[in-house]
Amino acid sequence: MYEMNYRPRRVCPSNIYVAVSDDGSTIEDVRFTGGCNGNTKAIALLVKGKPVDDVVALLAGNDCAGRGTSCADQLTIALRLAQEDARALA
């Protein structure tokens, strides 16, 4: 399992912890620090065990209040970075 912390931009959470499988293909765990507690917990539960590529395709580009990004969109960035790092180490 590969784990990392990502500092999101232009959203309420101050950190997104992600863990992906060793080959970077599957989401093992997600935890947000800050943000809308119920919503971020729900996102984390919904994506756990899902393929990174499927979640990124579904959530990338999601906008919150005209910010040009959202917690879900920032999660996709964190997932892609974790996926790239995991694959580089494999």
Side-chain angles (χ1 to χ4, degrees):
M1 178 167 58
Y2 178 81
E3 303 167 280
M4 70 169 281
N5 287 293
Y6 175 74
R7 187 162 188 81
R9 293 167 178 81
R10 298 190 322 264
V11 295
C12 299
S14 60
N15 186 70
I16 304 173
Y17 163 85
V18 296
V20 296
S21 57
D22 287 336
D23 65 358
S25 64
T26 305
I27 301 167
E28 300 287 336
D29 194 16
V30 170
R31 284 182 241 144
F32 290 84
T33 303
C36 300
N37 189 40
N39 290 335
T40 55
K41 282 182 182 175
I43 291 169
L45 288 171
L46 289 168
V47 302
K48 188 173 182 177
K50 302 284 190 284
V52 170
D53 293 339
D54 291 355
V55 170
V56 169
L58 183 65
L59 299 179
N62 186 33
D63 182 67
C64 177
R67 294 178 185 181
T69 191
S70 66
C71 295
D73 182 55
Q74 290 293 298
L75 173 60
T76 66
I77 296 168
L79 289 170
R80 279 293 186 221
L81 291 171
Q83 184 179 57
E84 290 170 10
D85 289 351
R87 289 181 174 169
L89 295 171

